[in-house]
Amino acid sequence: MLFPREVLLAILCVLPVAAQDVSQPPAATPAPTEDKRIFGVLPNNRTAEAATPFHPITAKQKMTIAFKDSFDWPVYLTAGLFATLYQLEDQNPSFGQGMAGYARRAATAYGDQMIGNMMTEGVVPAVFHQDPRYFRLGEGPKAHRAWYAVTRIFVARMDSGRNSFNFSEWGGNAAAVAMSNFYYPDTRNVSDNVSKLLIQCSTDAFSNVLKEFWPDVKNRLHRKSNHDTAPAALSSGQ
C-alpha cells in the first residue's frame, strides 16, 4: 500500500530527531555550587557536598584553596579582632601596649591563621595525599549533622576516597604552633603549645559546623525575606 506523500514527509522529518534523542543521553543535572562566603563575609572555599560522587583534587588545587583562605580580606579583619582581645588581656606582655603592641599582636594573629591554613589545607594534604575539603551532609537530623561536622577534625578522606585520621588537621596545626614559637617569646612551654593547638582545632570544628548549616540558615533567611515582602507587594497592588 502506498502512503500519502504528506505522511512520508512527516516520517522522514521525525526519524532523525528520534534517532538523535536515542543516541544522546539526557543532560546530567549540574551539581549544586557552594556559596563561597558564609554570611557574605567568611571564606568558604573548601566545602563540597558529600552526596556528590567523590573526585580527588590535585596538589595545586589544595594549595589554591589554602592560598585563598590565607589571603582573603576577612582574615585581616579577624586578626584585628583577635589582636584587640589579646591587647585587652595583655597576652604576650613583652609586646607592650599602645599602637606598637597592637601592631605586633595583629601581625602575629594573622600569622597564626595564615600559617595554619597553608599547613592544614595545602602543604600537609598535598604531601600526604589527603583531601582538605569539608564534605557537607546537608540532610538528616540536626544533632547528627552537628556531630558529624565536629568530628571531621578527626576524620578526613584520602585522595583514594577512603576515610582516615585527619593528620592534616592535627599535624598541620601542630606544625603551625611550633613555628609560632619564633614570634611568641612569652608562650613557648609545652602547656602553652598544647593550649594553642587545641584552640586552633576547636576553631576549625566550629568552622565545620558553620559550613554544614550555612545553606539552611541562608534558605531560612531567604524564605523570611520573601514572606515579609509578599504583604508589601499585595498592599501596593491594591
Side-chain angles (χ1 to χ4, degrees), residues 216-229:
D216 302 68
V217 174
K218 183 179 179 181
N219 290 336
R220 180 169 295 183
L221 293 174
H222 182 70
R223 288 196 300 268
K224 185 178 184 301
S225 176
N226 289 341
H227 181 269
D228 292 342
T229 56

Side-chain angles (χ1 to χ4, degrees), residues 170-200:
W170 292 91
N173 277 322
V177 168
M179 294 179 194
S180 73
N181 287 320
F182 289 104
Y183 52 82
Y184 282 131
D186 302 322
T187 55
R188 289 176 174 169
N189 59 47
V190 174
S191 176
D192 290 328
N193 278 267
V194 170
S195 177
K196 286 187 285 187
L197 174 60
L198 293 177
I199 289 173
Q200 290 273 50

Side-chain angles (χ1 to χ4, degrees), residues 86 91-96 101 103-117 119 172-188 193 196 200:
Y86 298 156
Q91 291 192 23
N92 295 285
S94 64
F95 287 178
R104 291 188 68 180
R105 289 182 174 90
T108 53
Y110 170 72
D112 290 344
Q113 296 182 80
M114 185 270 289
I115 297 173
N117 288 338
M119 295 302 296
N173 277 322
V177 168
M179 294 179 194
S180 73
N181 287 320
F182 289 104
Y183 52 82
Y184 282 131
D186 302 322
T187 55
R188 289 176 174 169
N193 278 267
K196 286 187 285 187
Q200 290 273 50

Side-chain angles (χ1 to χ4, degrees), residues 11 13 36 42 71 78-79 120 153 168 172 182 188 210 227 233:
I11 293 174
C13 291
K36 294 306 179 183
L42 301 177
F71 298 98
T78 304
T120 60
I153 64 170
S168 295
F182 289 104
R188 289 176 174 169
L210 287 179
H227 181 269

